Amino acid sequence: MKTPNNREALSVAVQGKLAALGTAGGGLFLIDLATASVLHALQGHTIAVQSVIFDGNEIISGSEDETVRVWDKISGRETLRIDAGAEVFGVAAHENLLVVGLYDYTVRVFDRASGGPCHVLTEATGQVYAVAIDAQRMVSGSFDKKVRVYAVPSFELLHVLEGHTVWVRSVALQGDRVVSGSLDNTVRLWDARSGDSLHVLQGHSKWVFSVSLLGSEIASGSKDKSVRIWDAETGASMRVLDGTEAVRPIEEVLASPVEVNSENPVKEVLVSPAEVEAELKPARTDEDLPAKLCPTCSIL
C-alpha cells in the first residue's frame, strides 16, 4: 500500500495486526494490516517522523520537530509531549524510562510518567541515530561510527563498539546480544557483556537502515530494496526477501483476521483482552503530567 499522505515512509512498527507508520511531513498513522485501512491519523508532528515504536497500549514517536509524543493506541489521543531540545532520530522505552537519540550528539533519558529529564549522555561525537533499551542495558548508534553500551539504570558507559566504517543507522538489543546496521552496508553482531565483535554480516549492496533481533534470527532492511534474514548464532544468511516472492494474501500472514468495526475499529484488532479492557481507562492528559524530574534519578 502507499502511505496515506503519499509522503516517504521513514519509520514503522508492528504489533499484532497493527502497524504504526511515520512519514515525511509529520504524518503518523495507525493501520490495520488485515484490511490496509487507516484506524487513526495521529496529528501533532509537523515534520519528518523518524522513529516510532509500540509499547503496550501506547505508541511513541520521535520527529525532526524536536518532540517525542506518546499516543493512546485506542483513542488516538496524544497523552504526553516532550520537548527533546533537538531533532529526534531514535526512541526506545522500557518500563518508566524513555530514551531518545538526538541530532545534537546526545542521548537523553526521560521519566515516562512525567516527561521530566533523568540523564543526558554526551559521549557520542556525532548525531545519535538509533537507541535500544532493556532492563540491563541501553545501546546507541551514531554518526561517529560507534555503538555504545550503557548500564541500566545507572547509564554508566560500559563499552564502545568499534568496527563500522560509516555511521550507524540502527541498533537492536536482546539479552547479551547487540546488532547494528550501518551505511557501510554491513550488519554487525556484538557480545554486550564483553564488547567483542561476534560476526560481520555481509550481503547487502547498499546502506543498512534497519535491524531487528528476535530469538535466533536477525532481520535487516537496506536501501538495496531487500530484507535479509540471518542466523544470530552463526551469522549465516538464511533468506533474502527482495519483492520477487510469491504474493500471499494477508489472511495467510496474519492469524485469524477479523472484520473491522466501523464504530470502534482499533478495538477489533487488539491482540488481547487486557488491551480491550484498557480502553475503559481514561487516557492521561497534559494536565495530569506536570514537568518534573524523575524521582529516582537526577540529571548527570
Side-chain angles (χ1 to χ4, degrees):
M1 63 177 289
K2 290 186 177 181
T3 61
N5 61 351
N6 292 317
R7 302 296 298 272
E8 181 183 6
L10 299 175
S11 53
V12 66
V14 174
Q15 183 190 67
K17 299 178 179 68
L18 297 174
L21 173 68
T23 75
L28 181 60
F29 304 94
L30 182 63
I31 297 170
D32 175 10
L33 293 174
T35 63
S37 59
V38 176
L39 304 177
H40 290 303
L42 308 177
Q43 298 181 350
H45 288 301
T46 57
I47 52 178
V49 179
Q50 290 285 357
S51 185
V52 61
I53 61 173
F54 281 102
D55 191 48
N57 286 321
E58 295 181 319
I59 298 167
I60 304 172
S61 57
S63 167
E64 290 183 28
D65 65 11
E66 303 188 2
T67 69
V68 175
R69 297 171 190 251
V70 181
W71 314 81
D72 181 80
K73 182 175 67 177
I74 297 173
S75 68
R77 291 176 55 200
E78 179 185 302
T79 60
L80 176 65
R81 180 173 66 248
I82 297 172
D83 293 324
E87 296 166 83
V88 179
F89 280 88
V91 296
H94 179 73
E95 295 183 348
N96 66 312
L97 298 174
L98 181 57
V99 180
V100 183
L102 298 170
Y103 197 76
D104 67 357
Y105 303 5
T106 68
V107 175
R108 294 177 184 262
V109 184
F110 296 91
D111 176 59
R112 178 71 172 274
S114 68
C118 292
H119 300 275
V120 180
L121 310 179
T122 60
E123 289 82 6
T125 59
Q127 296 89 347
V128 180
Y129 287 107
V131 289
I133 187 172
D134 64 14
Q136 292 183 293
R137 302 178 182 91
M138 191 277 289
V139 178
S140 68
S142 59
F143 185 80
D144 61 15
K145 311 172 190 177
K146 296 178 176 62
V147 176
R148 291 176 171 84
V149 182
Y150 296 83
V152 171
S154 69
F155 291 93
E156 173 191 359
L157 180 63
L158 300 176
H159 303 292
V160 179
L161 312 182
E162 300 188 58
H164 284 298
T165 58
V166 186
W167 51 284
V168 178
R169 187 61 181 86
S170 54
V171 294
L173 172 64
Q174 180 179 274
D176 295 326
R177 295 290 184 264
V178 174
V179 176
S180 55
S182 167
L183 272 67
D184 64 10
N185 304 349
T186 70
V187 176
R188 288 178 177 258
L189 181 66
W190 315 82
D191 186 317
R193 297 166 299 181
S194 66
D196 292 338
S197 176
L198 300 177
H199 299 292
V200 180
L201 312 182
Q202 297 179 314
H204 285 297
S205 60
K206 293 185 178 180
W207 303 344
V208 178
F209 281 126
S210 179
V211 293
S212 65
L213 176 58
L214 182 62
S216 62
E217 293 186 339
I218 297 167
S220 58
S222 168
K223 191 178 180 181
D224 66 13
K225 302 180 183 180
S226 74
V227 173
R228 289 178 177 260
I229 310 299
W230 316 80
D231 187 308
E233 296 300 321
T234 66
S237 177
M238 298 171 62
R239 295 186 297 281
V240 180
L241 310 175
D242 60 7
T244 61
E245 300 77 28
V247 176
R248 295 172 58 196
I250 192 69
E251 290 80 8
E252 293 183 11
V253 180
L254 300 174
S256 303
V258 295
E259 182 179 350
V260 174
N261 183 316
S262 60
E263 294 183 357
N264 199 338
V266 182
K267 180 176 178 180
E268 293 298 325
V269 292
L270 292 178
V271 295
S272 72
E275 290 179 298
V276 175
E277 181 181 356
E279 184 181 6
L280 302 176
K281 300 178 182 179
R284 293 174 295 177
T285 65
D286 290 342
E287 290 75 15
D288 300 325
L289 299 167
K292 60 182 179 180
L293 290 179
C294 169
T296 59
C297 53
S298 60
I299 299 177
L300 295 181

